Amino acid sequence: MTASSNSRSPAGRYGPVIAILIAVLVPVLAKDFLVFQATQLMVYAIAIMGLNILVGINGQLSLGHGAFYALGAYTVAILMDGYGMPYGWALPVAALVTFAAGFAFGLPALRLEGIYLALATFTLAIALPQILKLSVLDPWTGGVQGISIAKPEAPAFLPLNADQWLYVLTLAITCLVYWLARNLIGSRTGRALTAVKDNALAARTMGINVALYKTLAFSVSACFTGIAGALSAIVVQYVSPDSFSFYLSVAILVGLVVGGVGWLPGAFLGAAFILFVPNIAEGVSKGLSGAVYGVLLIALIVLRPGGSAGFGAAWRGLLSHTGRTTRQISLSQEKETGS
């Protein structure tokens, strides 16, 4: 199976377009609560895509991306609530702030690899919620009380309510982030990031600035995750330190594993898992919801060690087989007609 055969198949060519068309119809056909859940799913998918750039493409392990998620959320909340900045301006500022934070953290983290880098990011995830509670920061962060944000209304020329507008806005940003991530992975920079993951020493001998590309991966990853946090703050209309516990970092990592490390479309399946499976587990047993969640996660990992990327590979294989079968039938018909 080749990439070209997949791209020549109708599903390979038109699959993304069909998915976008279906997504556009969601706010029209679904109820407000389902629209809200679909918006949250896309927010988590953006965060998982960000982590995938770091872990799946560049090979660096992070247990602290919840901190960048929180930083993006608080940046938007402070700008909107404290300074009256429109969300259209606050979102790009949050992206820039988290990009700079990822760069600042990535530079000293260059000396760390593997489990040591994971421990450093773990410390970041644990420390940030406590820092947000400091009384000296209360005028900006609101302390333990957090910050409430007014829900943005849809532009006057669009016949949408606030929930539908936030869905459309999140969908547009999700498509943009996915496009950026896909182009980054397929670019010369993406190939350099992958080379660093495969063998840093060999990449260095080829003239690749390993330190620069590792820091760049951390920056872009933090930026995407910060955008997700910023959107989450606007959608939920509230931020507080307790909303960004270490569990959030673990949830994003679980979504990455379930979706498939290195497989970009799997971010949406991973997001669905971390959004809906905890509720399913609680429905099975409220007292043992954590155990049920763990059993479901272990079962998925055992059945599909590569996460949903395995389903994606199977689907691409089916498309390729279907395409070859169709071409063989066409050739046979042409021969019969010719004879």
Side-chain angles (χ1 to χ4, degrees), residues 301-325:
I301 293 174
V302 170
L303 293 173
R304 283 291 179 181
S308 59
F311 295 104
W315 172 249
R316 290 191 296 271
L318 177 62
L319 291 178
S320 177
H321 176 72
T322 303
R324 287 196 301 269
T325 303

Side-chain angles (χ1 to χ4, degrees), residues 280-294:
I280 296 174
E282 189 172 349
V284 173
S285 174
K286 291 185 178 180
L288 296 174
S289 59
V292 175
Y293 179 81

Side-chain angles (χ1 to χ4, degrees), residues 19-282:
I20 293 175
L21 290 176
I22 293 174
V24 170
L25 293 176
V26 168
V28 179
L29 303 177
K31 296 181 180 180
D32 287 344
F33 179 69
L34 292 178
V35 171
F36 173 76
Q37 286 188 315
T39 305
Q40 283 190 309
L41 187 149
M42 290 188 290
V43 168
Y44 284 133
I46 294 174
I48 294 170
M49 280 189 274
L51 185 59
N52 211 351
I53 295 294
L54 184 68
V55 179
I57 307 304
N58 194 232
Q60 300 185 75
L61 181 59
S62 172
L63 294 176
H65 261 50
F68 298 115
Y69 192 98
L71 184 59
Y74 264 91
T75 300
V76 160
I78 292 171
L79 291 176
M80 290 180 62
D81 182 70
Y83 296 94
M85 181 180 289
Y87 63 91
W89 288 103
L91 282 169
V93 172
L96 290 174
V97 168
T98 49
F99 182 91
F103 189 86
F105 186 84
L107 281 177
L110 288 174
R111 298 178 178 272
L112 304 174
E113 292 184 0
I115 190 64
Y116 300 103
L117 178 60
L119 288 174
T121 54
F122 167 78
T123 303
L124 180 65
I126 294 295
L128 187 61
Q130 303 304 317
I131 294 173
L132 293 172
K133 294 179 181 180
L134 293 176
S135 58
V136 69
L137 298 178
D138 277 1
W140 296 279
T141 64
V144 295
Q145 301 298 323
I147 305 174
S148 296
I149 308 172
K151 181 179 290 188
E153 295 294 333
F157 60 87
L158 290 177
L160 302 172
N161 60 36
D163 289 326
Q164 291 172 330
W165 166 241
L166 287 177
Y167 174 89
V168 172
L169 175 66
T170 306
L171 175 62
I173 295 175
T174 302
C175 292
L176 175 62
V177 169
Y178 184 87
W179 179 80
L180 290 173
R182 186 171 182 178
N183 280 275
L184 173 64
I185 294 170
S187 68
R188 183 177 180 180
T189 300
R191 292 191 292 273
L193 294 174
T194 304
V196 172
K197 178 189 72 171
D198 293 339
N199 192 318
L201 181 59
R204 188 176 289 108
T205 59
M206 290 188 296
I208 296 175
N209 189 331
V210 174
L212 174 63
Y213 281 101
K214 280 190 173 184
T215 307
L216 178 64
F218 223 108
S219 303
V220 173
S221 178
C223 177
F224 285 179
T225 307
I227 292 172
L231 287 170
S232 174
I234 296 173
V235 171
V236 179
Q237 301 173 254
Y238 178 72
V239 295
S240 71
D242 293 333
S243 302
F244 307 105
S245 64
F246 177 64
Y247 174 78
L248 175 61
S249 297
V250 173
I252 297 173
L253 183 60
V254 167
L256 172 64
V257 174
V258 170
V261 178
W263 191 51
L264 209 56
F268 298 94
L269 298 176
F273 184 90
I274 63 177
L275 181 63
F276 297 116
V277 170
N279 295 331
I280 296 174
E282 189 172 349

